[in-house]
Amino acid sequence: MKEIYTSHHMWKLFENFLVDMAMVCNATHDRKHADIMLEKYITETVCSIITQFFSSPFYDQTTTVQTRQPIFVKLLQSVFRVSQCDWLSGHQKCQVETCIKTLTDIAKNRGIAIPVDLDSQINSIFKSASIVKKHTRLWMSQGRMKRDSMIPVSRDYRNIIEGLQDIVCLLEEQLHPLVQAESSVLVDVLHRPELLFPTHSEARQRCESGGFISKLIKHTEKLQEEKERHLCIKVLQTLREMMSRDIEYKEKGEKLRQSLLFRYYGKANPRYQKEGSSRKDSSGTQMKQTQLNTNHGTMVLSRAEMSMSQVQNQLDEQGASDLVIDLVINNSSTKVFQESVELGIALLEGGNIKIQQSIYNRLTRDNDSDKFYKVFYEKMREAQTEIKATGTVNTGEGIGTKGADCDGNTKDISSGRLKKSRMSNGGISEELKEQLADAALHTSKAFDAVRKGRDDEGGGGGGTAIDMVEKGKDEDRDMSPEIKIMQPILRFLQLLCENHNRDLQNYLRNQSNKNNYNLVCETLQFLDCICGSTTGGLGLLGLYINEHNVALINQTLESLTEYCQGPCHENQNAIAMHESNGIDIIIALILNDIIPLSRHRMDLVMQLKNNASKLLLAIMESRHDSENAERILYNMTPKQLVDVIKQVYQQELQQNTEVDEDGIRLAPVEEGTSPRRVGHNIYILAHQLSQHNKELGQLLKPTNLDDHKALKYYAENTAQIELVRKDRTMERIVFPVPPLCEYLTRETRENLYYSAERDEQGSKVSDFFERSEDMLMEMKWQKKLRSRSLLYWTSRHISLWKKISLNLAVLINLLVAFFYPFEKGTGELDPKLSGLVWIAMFVSLLSVVMLPTPSGYRMLIISTVFRMIYSVDISSTLVLLGLVNVVIKCIFIVSLLGNRGLGNRGMLSVFTDSSILYHFLFLAFCFGGICSEEYIYSFLLLDVVRQEETLLNVIRSVTRNGRSIILTGVLALILVYLFSIVGFLFFQDDFPVEPIEPDIAIKFTDAASSTPVVNVSVAKPSSFPPKVEEGYCSAGNCSNITLPGTTTPDEENKQIEPLKSCGTLLMCIITTVNQGLRNGGGIGDILLAPSSTKHFIARVVYDMLFFFIVIIIVLNLIFGVIIDTFADLRNEKQTKEEVLKNTCFICGLDRASFDNKEVSFEEHKKEEHNMWHYLYFIVLVNVKDETEFTGPESYVHYMIKEKNLDWFPRMRAMSLAADEGENEQNELRNLHVQLETTNKLVLTLSKQLAELKDQMTEQRKKKQRQGLVDLERMQNSRIMDMGINGPEG
């Protein structure tokens, strides 16, 4: 079969088809002489062959169409010409349009260029039709009654049906919000049933304590027992709607709600008086809050005036969770079971820990776990059996999907308005869904009847393969109820394990009962079954995965992921080591292209790859062994995984350039399923696996920039940290850097890096953690700032404004210093110097234009200002520079507010910020220099102190120990006060006497009256004016005038006495402080010489004591404190630089700890304990949805919430622990070798001792035998001697 699709004979056959189609199109229009058989052959046989050929999965693997593009385009043109023939019957037109749709899709997928006019004509075919999938039951019943006796109908009847359906669709769109609004009032009543009864009544008190809901839940169980399934389902749906999000009912729906609520509650309740006016605003606000809030449990439900978790807990207290368990165990009806599971999902939504614990306690307390889990186990078994019995592959998808396009494309278009209205108005109740589905079914049957009538009228129309496909397409493509029920079941099991509930995770696997139901392994087997029980190695997954079951597969992967995360090592092992092909399918979902699904729904494929990669990461989460990683690596090659990363990365660019059939750019996929983000997850998976495979680690290193853009991108946006678990074990975490972190400014980074304080353990984690929240707020503000382009531009250049302001202040003060006081006028400048200034201006201007540098700008400004001084005047130039400085300073303040986000925190935060007040003060100096005196500009030079660290240290040397300096100064004042008293009492005459210059005003008075006549100024003789002015005279010329106020020179000398510097105690104190502290020798430098006084010894002692105590000791104490403080600041700066250079910011280990280790200190700081990676991880757990947390992320999130820093590694590193472990292993290995050597020596010595013992034993035996022989000889000799001596005797 494969050879057929690559053979050139098929294309020769297509060329023959072109001839036949041309004959049909060019034939006579006289139907009496038409070749009916040729027309039937073209429209049915030829079109069917073309459709099946290009729709086959075997054709997807060929590339021959690229080399046969001319024939392909001609084939499409010919089929289009056939479709324009007016003799086509309904069935024939359907066949031809299906063929056109197939060829058009192939052209778009393969990038074949179609003529523009042909493309537009083809698009007009599929836009023109509009068949709506709705009909009323009365019309359907009438259509069913008349179907058997239906006569050939006219073409106008089809238009009438379409018009009727448009009317029905419009009515449904208009009335549906009112139906929803009316149904929603019941939920409001259930939230506050006590408001239906009078205040202080017994019924109201019972309702306030939850008695109404409790009775309703108990009544639901009785309804189930009494076989009232319909009412039971309705109650379950209502309870579920109590936890649903509020929807918008439009204006008419809101009015209907208000009228109904008024009937129930009356006008007295203030809650419903304000609801009508504020509901629209609150709904909009709630929608924004819902988008910003990542935790579903904290979402506020306006109708309940409580959060979702509070509503869930309230229903749980009334027995809702017990109701779910009881109904699941009974399992009397499929519909009731499904609604029970849906209610359980609503109760557990958001990972409600209290509901999880309630279900767990009920299952363990009443021993219902085996019955409860048995139901789910049997449902999974039934679904697998159904899949195996009815499962088919997608080999006929081309016919099934594109053959349906005889009315499929028009169906999609015609149902567009209905889908849009549903999405905008919220969900549809189950009952309404059933009615709509039933109406759609009968509408399609009626339309088939109409088309059959057209076929009969046209004279053709037997049933072919297309008719069979159309008849059974819904049955083939839709899943059976046994399979559909698996999606809510798996979602329910996932929520049971949400937030990494270890008890329920283990309980799913092992119930510790007589009958154990392992739902973890059963879920994996279900995944194996729905994916065709194949390893995926042959690329056959696309034959089993389609648009209808991909959501169920995704849910299965998500449930398996939640089973493992936390981590739950037992469930990880159960999945990784299971005997089925489940783990192989998960790997294949990542590595393989799921064709044909990927051609038209790449977003679904990305979801599959995303969930599959998350599952594999969950299987390896927090494991210190390599068993599961090796199992994953067993069925993949490193190159395959790296190629997938690159391919998914490139898919992002392709997706951004894709267009639909109308040439409109396709909408981007969801944030979570972005191809680049999916590739990031796969990259992290590869990074984790690379620790167990060196080849994969080498492939992940980007070497070639062009070929490895993806690897470089992911490497730059991936971070890793080490954290300490509760059991004090360390774990390495690899995670994607959140996009929010790119908004962290360089100034903030530098400020944190250089100013963070060390704690007792030598780490800076405490200060770092305290600032992390402020940095997170700053990042969010910086992200918001990007939308304000002008403010962002000014804030981005904040350092430039600071430099410009300082340079302007220096320039202004230079002008003031050189030209103050200012002369009026422009002044004259030498022509040569003037020409030189003009040349400097033009040269600097050219340098700025050609090669802009800071020095060029400065030269241009200086030359321009110098020119303005002599062209305008100095005063106007200073005013202009002052105004420019004010503008720059204002821009700088705005930039500072923009960078820190103070503009959104209120005026109080702005005016309480010290740096803002500082710059406002300098702005006031700028205005003072413009409006008042120019020398006020001199205060602007103090800004240099703030910008230079060394000058700041000079100021800090005085301010840091300011209290010590002040107290020492007070001591100096006390001592000066004591010395002043002694000087006043004993040495008053030794203090200097200051002469007074007389300046006396004499008033001339008339003799007759006391009114002044002439004022005479009397001073030194030399200072009198030589002549008498009007009303004044000299002493010599005033002899004839009576001067009552004048005195003679003798009287003047008697009356005016010199001023003594120690005449009073206050004057003595002031003189001692002023003169004594300013002179190097103390107070003795200004007193009379001791030799000229009568208290010689006392004066010497007085002068020496003042010199040693005040000058030598006290003043040097003050100077010493300042100098020592400055030295300490310098040492601290050097120490800080040394610490930053040679100490880890996170763990506090120094450089020496990494000497002769596998990992260097620089690698440790950059890769293992990168301080910014820890900040990125804190940001990640703050912005990520809590229900999406992995085990380590949940742990760190909890620790951050408790402000516990034990998760930071202190004086520890995994690389050092590994080296120490290796050293310990080496020592143990050496000891083992030594022990073996010692054992060998002991064995050798034992053998030698045994041999020596044997030799000694032999020697002893020989000696014993020798002794016996000697004894026998002695006895024999004695006997012989006795025998000889005997006869002699």
Side-chain angles (χ1 to χ4, degrees):
M1 291 294 294
K2 292 183 180 179
E3 293 180 356
I4 296 177
Y5 293 91
T6 58
S7 175
H8 66 282
H9 297 291
M10 287 298 300
W11 292 96
K12 288 185 177 180
L13 184 62
F14 290 155
E15 292 178 359
N16 297 331
F17 287 166
L18 294 175
V19 177
D20 297 336
M21 284 187 281
M23 292 175 59
V24 171
C25 295
N26 297 328
T28 179
H29 297 283
D30 185 8
R31 301 305 302 162
K32 295 181 180 179
H33 301 88
D35 191 348
I36 304 297
M37 296 303 298
L38 180 60
E39 293 174 353
K40 186 175 181 181
Y41 164 76
I42 294 297
T43 56
E44 294 183 5
T45 306
V46 171
C47 289
S48 178
I49 292 174
I50 294 174
T51 301
Q52 293 182 13
F53 176 84
F54 288 104
S55 301
S56 174
F58 297 105
Y59 174 77
D60 296 335
Q61 303 176 4
T62 64
T63 59
T64 56
V65 69
Q66 274 76 12
T67 60
R68 307 279 184 169
Q69 290 189 18
I71 300 177
F72 182 89
V73 174
K74 291 180 181 179
L75 191 65
L76 180 58
Q77 290 175 339
S78 299
V79 178
F80 176 76
R81 287 185 62 193
V82 173
S83 68
Q84 300 303 307
C85 297
D86 54 0
W87 47 262
L88 290 174
S89 64
H91 173 67
Q92 291 173 338
K93 191 174 184 64
C94 177
Q95 291 274 32
V96 175
E97 290 178 357
T98 301
C99 184
I100 294 174
K101 182 65 176 176
T102 302
L103 294 175
T104 305
D105 292 340
I106 292 296
K108 291 182 178 180
N109 293 335
R110 297 298 182 93
I112 298 175
I114 302 177
V116 178
D117 55 345
L118 177 62
D119 189 38
S120 60
Q121 292 172 354
I122 291 174
N123 290 333
S124 64
I125 294 178
F126 301 108
K127 284 183 179 179
S128 59
S130 57
I131 301 175
V132 183
K133 298 180 183 176
K134 268 190 187 298
H135 206 271
T136 59
R137 295 183 181 274
L138 178 61
W139 176 76
M140 290 183 291
S141 61
Q142 292 177 354
R144 192 180 302 110
M145 294 171 57
K146 296 179 180 180
R147 183 179 56 186
D148 296 333
S149 60
M150 183 178 293
I151 60 175
V153 293
S154 63
R155 296 178 183 270
D156 295 337
Y157 187 53
R158 177 178 178 181
N159 297 330
I160 295 173
I161 294 175
E162 292 177 358
L164 177 61
Q165 294 310 306
D166 289 337
I167 295 173
V168 173
C169 181
L170 180 62
L171 290 175
E172 191 274 336
E173 183 179 355
Q174 295 292 331
L175 298 178
H176 180 65
L178 299 179
V179 176
Q180 280 190 319
E182 184 178 8
S183 302
S184 68
V185 176
L186 178 60
V187 178
D188 290 78
V189 173
L190 291 179
H191 278 306
R192 300 293 297 275
E194 67 274 7
L195 300 179
L196 296 172
F197 304 98
T199 309
H200 305 299
S201 63
E202 183 179 358
R204 188 183 183 100
Q205 293 177 358
R206 290 181 179 178
C207 291
E208 288 177 349
S209 61
F212 187 86
I213 300 296
S214 179
K215 289 280 188 181
L216 180 63
I217 291 175
K218 292 179 181 178
H219 181 66
T220 306
E221 297 178 355
K222 292 183 180 180
L223 290 175
Q224 175 64 18
E225 295 173 358
E226 295 173 0
K227 306 299 182 181
E228 295 288 344
R229 295 175 182 174
H230 182 72
L231 290 177
C232 180
I233 292 171
K234 186 63 178 177
V235 174
L236 292 174
Q237 291 175 349
T238 306
L239 291 174
R240 191 174 81 242
E241 290 177 2
M242 291 179 66
M243 295 170 283
S244 63
R245 300 179 180 178
D246 301 329
I247 60 177
E248 186 179 354
Y249 302 102
K250 296 186 177 180
E251 184 178 358
K252 293 182 179 179
E254 287 296 333
K255 289 182 179 179
L256 179 61
R257 276 178 50 82
Q258 292 305 311
S259 63
L260 293 175
L261 291 173
F262 175 75
R263 291 184 182 181
Y264 283 115
Y265 295 107
K267 204 180 238 183
N269 197 302
R271 173 178 174 236
Y272 299 99
Q273 288 177 350
K274 64 183 181 181
E275 187 184 69
S277 59
S278 63
R279 181 173 179 84
K280 184 176 293 185
D281 297 336
S282 64
S283 63
T285 304
Q286 180 191 358
M287 186 176 298
K288 293 180 181 179
Q289 292 177 351
T290 304
Q291 292 173 355
L292 295 175
N293 194 352
T294 57
N295 190 353
H296 299 281
T298 58
M299 182 181 62
V300 177
L301 304 177
S302 61
R303 289 187 292 178
E305 296 181 343
M306 294 184 293
S307 64
M308 181 180 286
S309 60
Q310 290 175 331
V311 177
Q312 292 170 340
N313 296 337
Q314 191 179 55
L315 290 176
D316 177 63
E317 292 173 357
Q318 310 307 324
S321 58
D322 293 334
L323 174 64
V324 171
I325 295 174
D326 293 335
L327 293 179
V328 168
I329 292 175
N330 290 333
N331 191 22
S332 58
S333 169
T334 303
K335 188 64 177 176
V336 173
F337 173 80
Q338 181 177 355
E339 291 297 333
S340 304
V341 175
E342 294 286 354
L343 178 59
I345 293 173
L347 288 170
L348 291 166
E349 191 67 49
N352 194 311
I353 300 176
K354 185 176 180 181
I355 307 297
Q356 292 176 343
Q357 191 63 34
S358 177
I359 294 176
Y360 179 75
N361 293 337
R362 164 66 192 278
L363 294 176
T364 54
R365 181 180 66 248
D366 298 340
N367 295 325
D368 291 335
S369 60
D370 54 345
K371 301 177 184 177
F372 183 75
Y373 286 117
K374 180 182 178 182
V375 176
F376 293 117
Y377 183 84
E378 291 176 349
K379 293 288 184 183
M380 290 185 181
R381 286 289 183 177
E382 291 175 4
Q384 294 178 47
T385 304
E386 182 68 18
I387 290 173
K388 293 176 181 178
T390 61
T392 58
V393 298
N394 295 334
T395 55
E397 184 176 354
I399 303 174
T401 60
K402 298 171 184 176
D405 285 337
C406 58
D407 60 347
N409 198 33
T410 56
K411 283 181 182 179
D412 294 339
I413 297 173
S414 62
S415 61
R417 294 190 300 271
L418 179 59
K419 291 182 180 179
K420 183 177 180 181
S421 63
R422 290 178 183 175
M423 293 173 63
S424 61
N425 296 330
I428 300 177
S429 62
E430 297 296 329
E431 183 178 0
L432 186 58
K433 285 182 180 179
E434 294 178 358
Q435 296 176 1
L436 295 177
D438 194 11
L441 176 62
H442 290 284
T443 302
S444 62
K445 290 182 179 179
F447 179 71
D448 288 340
V450 174
R451 190 175 59 191
K452 182 178 179 182
R454 289 185 60 195
D455 293 343
D456 294 339
E457 182 183 11
T464 61
I466 299 295
D467 292 325
M468 297 176 64
V469 170
E470 290 177 355
K471 181 179 180 181
K473 63 182 177 182
D474 292 335
E475 290 82 356
D476 291 339
R477 301 180 69 184
D478 292 342
M479 296 181 294
S480 62
E482 291 83 2
I483 304 175
K484 286 182 179 180
I485 195 64
M486 283 303 301
Q487 189 159 351
I489 288 176
L490 292 172
R491 175 62 178 167
F492 178 73
L493 296 178
Q494 176 192 357
L495 291 174
L496 281 179
C497 303
E498 196 71 68
N499 294 326
H500 319 304
N501 192 312
R502 184 68 59 84
D503 295 331
L504 285 170
Q505 282 177 333
N506 290 322
Y507 215 54
L508 285 179
R509 188 189 69 262
N510 185 9
Q511 293 86 41
S512 301
N513 295 329
K514 182 178 180 181
N515 297 321
N516 185 56
Y517 301 99
N518 190 342
L519 296 185
V520 175
C521 295
E522 202 62 33
T523 305
L524 187 65
Q525 287 183 341
F526 175 76
L527 176 65
D528 179 27
C529 184
I530 197 172
C531 292
S533 298
T534 175
T535 61
L538 300 177
L540 301 178
L541 282 176
L543 303 179
Y544 301 95
I545 301 176
N546 50 59
E547 294 184 34
H548 301 279
N549 63 4
V550 68
L552 180 55
I553 297 174
N554 276 317
Q555 182 59 61
T556 308
L557 294 172
E558 292 173 1
S559 299
L560 289 170
T561 302
E562 202 62 47
Y563 296 164
C564 299
Q565 286 181 341
C568 182
H569 294 301
E570 295 81 3
N571 288 353
Q572 289 176 343
N573 295 333
I575 294 175
M577 302 302 169
H578 196 262
E579 57 200 14
S580 67
N581 294 325
I583 193 70
D584 301 325
I585 290 176
I586 298 168
I587 297 171
L589 288 175
I590 297 176
L591 299 181
N592 297 333
D593 292 332
I594 304 175
I595 298 174
L597 182 63
S598 60
R599 292 177 180 166
H600 52 281
R601 290 303 303 272
M602 180 56 70
D603 56 332
L604 298 180
V605 176
M606 289 297 108
Q607 287 181 7
L608 284 173
K609 292 182 180 295
N610 189 42
N611 291 324
S613 60
K614 288 181 179 179
L615 177 53
L616 293 182
L617 286 171
I619 293 174
M620 298 189 299
E621 182 180 293
S622 302
R623 296 188 69 92
H624 300 286
D625 57 3
S626 60
E627 187 176 1
N628 290 352
E630 291 175 354
R631 174 64 181 88
I632 295 173
L633 287 168
Y634 180 76
N635 274 1
M636 71 167 66
T637 62
K639 191 176 184 305
Q640 280 181 308
L641 194 58
V642 175
D643 290 340
V644 170
I645 295 172
K646 300 176 186 177
Q647 178 184 358
V648 175
Y649 177 83
Q650 294 297 329
Q651 187 65 35
E652 179 89 8
L653 302 176
Q654 298 176 6
Q655 204 170 61
N656 293 335
T657 57
E658 286 182 354
V659 295
D660 60 4
E661 296 178 356
D662 302 330
I664 301 174
R665 181 175 173 178
L666 295 176
V669 296
E670 298 178 1
E671 187 76 8
T673 57
S674 169
R676 191 161 293 182
R677 287 177 176 256
V678 175
H680 210 157
N681 286 337
I682 301 175
Y683 178 84
I684 293 174
L685 172 65
H687 192 282
Q688 296 285 61
L689 291 172
S690 65
Q691 301 177 12
H692 310 279
N693 188 294
K694 294 183 179 179
E695 181 184 356
L696 181 57
Q698 292 295 327
L699 290 175
L700 288 177
K701 295 180 180 179
T703 55
N704 190 342
L705 182 61
D706 295 332
D707 297 336
H708 301 279
K709 289 182 180 179
L711 299 180
K712 183 179 179 181
Y713 170 81
Y714 291 131
E716 292 175 350
N717 291 276
T718 304
Q720 67 175 13
I721 63 171
E722 295 177 356
L723 58 87
V724 180
R725 285 283 198 165
K726 289 183 179 179
D727 56 358
R728 308 312 299 167
T729 59
M730 295 188 67
E731 180 180 351
R732 181 178 288 109
I733 307 299
V734 182
F735 61 96
V737 176
L740 184 64
C741 295
E742 71 183 29
Y743 301 105
L744 185 63
T745 60
R746 180 175 57 85
E747 291 80 5
T748 304
R749 289 174 181 265
E750 294 178 354
N751 182 36
L752 173 64
Y753 183 72
Y754 289 108
S755 62
E757 300 295 335
R758 300 178 70 188
D759 55 14
E760 297 176 354
Q761 297 180 347
S763 173
K764 299 183 178 181
V765 165
S766 301
D767 194 15
F768 170 76
F769 181 75
E770 290 176 359
R771 300 191 193 185
S772 61
E773 186 174 356
D774 294 334
M775 288 188 287
L776 176 60
M777 297 299 296
E778 180 185 345
M779 283 184 256
K780 292 180 179 179
W781 165 249
Q782 288 291 332
K783 182 179 180 181
K784 187 177 180 181
L785 189 64
R786 296 298 192 274
S787 60
R788 306 175 182 179
S789 57
L790 181 60
L791 182 58
Y792 170 64
W793 183 83
T794 57
S795 301
R796 189 177 59 180
H797 297 88
I798 184 171
S799 59
L800 176 63
W801 311 130
K802 184 188 296 185
K803 293 179 181 178
I804 293 175
S805 179
L806 181 59
N807 289 329
L808 284 175
V810 172
L811 180 60
I812 291 172
N813 281 277
L814 286 175
L815 295 178
V816 172
F818 279 103
F819 295 98
Y820 192 84
F822 307 128
E823 297 179 358
K824 294 184 179 180
T826 58
E828 296 182 359
L829 186 63
D830 184 76
K832 295 182 180 179
L833 185 59
S834 177
L836 184 62
V837 171
W838 283 110
I839 292 173
M841 286 181 59
F842 285 113
V843 170
S844 57
L845 180 61
L846 289 175
S847 65
V848 167
V849 173
M850 301 298 295
L851 185 62
T853 58
S855 59
Y857 283 108
R858 290 193 186 98
M859 187 62 187
L860 177 62
I861 293 173
I862 292 172
S863 58
T864 304
V865 169
F866 194 73
R867 182 67 267 174
M868 288 180 63
I869 292 174
Y870 291 95
S871 297
V872 188
D873 63 351
I874 182 64
S875 300
S876 302
T877 303
L878 281 177
V879 170
L880 180 60
L881 291 176
L883 290 175
V884 173
N885 197 17
V886 167
V887 173
I888 295 298
K889 202 67 181 178
C890 292
I891 295 175
F892 174 79
I893 293 175
V894 172
S895 303
L896 189 62
L897 293 173
N899 262 337
R900 298 190 178 183
L902 296 175
N904 286 1
R905 301 183 187 179
M907 297 301 295
L908 182 62
S909 61
V910 173
F911 288 105
T912 55
D913 189 270
S914 59
S915 61
I916 298 296
L917 293 178
Y918 169 82
H919 291 292
F920 272 120
L921 178 62
F922 271 68
L923 184 62
F925 289 145
C926 294
F927 279 110
I930 297 173
C931 303
S932 183
E933 296 293 336
E934 288 79 1
Y935 51 78
I936 298 178
Y937 286 125
S938 60
F939 292 102
L940 299 178
L941 295 177
L942 295 176
D943 194 30
V944 179
V945 178
R946 187 179 179 88
Q947 298 187 22
E948 291 295 332
E949 184 71 19
T950 304
L951 296 179
L952 281 177
N953 286 338
V954 173
I955 303 300
R956 292 193 190 105
S957 64
V958 179
T959 58
R960 169 176 284 192
N961 292 326
R963 186 172 183 273
S964 301
I965 295 174
I966 291 173
L967 292 177
T968 308
V970 171
L971 175 61
L973 290 177
I974 293 172
L975 294 174
V976 169
Y977 176 66
L978 295 177
F979 278 99
S980 300
I981 293 175
V982 173
F984 178 75
L985 294 177
F986 301 104
F987 309 110
Q988 185 177 8
D989 297 333
D990 295 345
F991 279 81
V993 177
E994 298 179 0
I996 297 180
E997 299 289 339
D999 189 6
I1000 303 171
I1002 301 175
K1003 296 183 180 180
F1004 292 88
T1005 57
D1006 191 358
S1009 64
S1010 60
T1011 57
V1013 179
V1014 181
N1015 292 332
V1016 180
S1017 177
V1018 180
K1020 290 184 179 181
S1022 61
S1023 64
F1024 277 93
K1027 61 181 179 177
V1028 179
E1029 297 178 1
E1030 184 179 358
Y1032 292 88
C1033 66
S1034 63
N1037 296 328
C1038 294
S1039 57
N1040 297 326
I1041 301 174
T1042 303
L1043 299 175
T1046 60
T1047 58
T1048 63
D1050 295 336
E1051 291 176 351
E1052 182 181 344
N1053 293 331
K1054 291 180 180 179
Q1055 292 180 6
I1056 300 175
E1057 296 181 357
L1059 180 63
K1060 296 181 179 180
S1061 59
C1062 194
T1064 62
L1065 181 58
L1066 179 60
M1067 289 296 297
C1068 195
I1069 294 173
I1070 294 173
T1071 302
T1072 305
V1073 172
N1074 182 31
Q1075 301 292 338
L1077 297 181
R1078 289 194 299 113
N1079 288 284
I1083 193 63
D1085 288 353
I1086 66 167
L1087 298 180
L1088 296 177
S1091 59
S1092 61
T1093 62
K1094 54 185 177 181
H1095 306 291
F1096 177 77
I1097 301 299
R1099 269 292 311 279
V1100 172
V1101 173
Y1102 178 80
D1103 294 348
M1104 295 299 294
L1105 287 177
F1106 189 94
F1107 177 74
F1108 282 109
I1109 294 175
V1110 178
I1111 303 300
I1112 300 299
I1113 298 176
V1114 177
L1115 291 184
N1116 284 328
L1117 280 176
I1118 297 175
F1119 299 150
V1121 170
I1122 296 174
I1123 294 172
D1124 290 344
T1125 305
F1126 185 77
D1128 292 340
L1129 290 172
R1130 183 179 59 190
N1131 293 334
E1132 287 179 5
K1133 183 180 179 181
Q1134 294 176 352
T1135 304
K1136 184 180 292 186
E1137 293 175 354
E1138 189 70 18
V1139 168
L1140 290 175
K1141 184 178 180 181
N1142 297 319
T1143 306
C1144 178
F1145 190 95
I1146 299 298
C1147 66
L1149 291 171
D1150 55 6
R1151 185 182 295 271
S1153 302
F1154 294 88
D1155 292 342
N1156 300 323
K1157 302 296 182 181
E1158 183 179 356
V1159 177
S1160 65
F1161 180 72
E1162 283 73 16
E1163 293 175 346
H1164 169 75
K1165 287 182 63 177
K1166 183 180 179 180
E1167 298 177 3
E1168 295 181 344
H1169 288 178
N1170 191 313
M1171 58 179 293
W1172 305 117
H1173 290 180
Y1174 281 86
L1175 176 63
Y1176 299 159
F1177 193 73
I1178 293 174
V1179 173
L1180 178 67
V1181 298
N1182 276 280
V1183 301
K1184 192 175 181 180
D1185 189 352
E1186 293 183 13
T1187 59
E1188 299 293 330
F1189 281 162
T1190 62
E1193 291 169 355
S1194 296
Y1195 166 69
V1196 173
H1197 182 263
Y1198 171 77
M1199 299 294 279
I1200 291 175
K1201 189 182 297 183
E1202 298 294 325
K1203 297 192 179 301
N1204 190 337
L1205 304 180
D1206 290 343
W1207 62 279
F1208 282 97
R1210 306 289 187 92
M1211 307 304 293
R1212 300 176 63 184
M1214 292 185 67
S1215 57
L1216 294 183
D1219 290 339
E1220 291 174 359
E1222 291 179 0
N1223 293 334
E1224 291 178 358
Q1225 292 179 359
N1226 292 332
E1227 292 178 359
L1228 291 174
R1229 195 177 298 110
N1230 293 332
L1231 291 175
H1232 184 67
V1233 172
Q1234 294 177 2
L1235 183 60
E1236 289 181 352
T1237 304
T1238 306
N1239 288 334
K1240 291 179 181 179
L1241 292 174
V1242 170
L1243 291 175
T1244 303
L1245 292 174
S1246 299
K1247 291 180 180 179
Q1248 293 176 355
L1249 289 174
E1251 293 176 357
L1252 183 60
K1253 184 178 180 180
D1254 293 339
Q1255 292 177 3
M1256 293 177 64
T1257 303
E1258 291 294 332
Q1259 291 178 1
R1260 191 180 300 112
K1261 289 179 179 180
K1262 288 181 180 180
K1263 290 181 179 179
Q1264 290 177 356
R1265 287 195 295 270
Q1266 188 67 29
L1268 291 175
V1269 172
D1270 293 340
L1271 181 61
E1272 186 177 358
R1273 288 179 179 175
M1274 290 175 63
Q1275 289 178 355
N1276 292 332
S1277 63
R1278 287 180 182 177
I1279 293 173
M1280 291 178 64
D1281 291 341
M1282 290 177 61
I1284 295 173
N1285 294 332
E1288 290 181 354

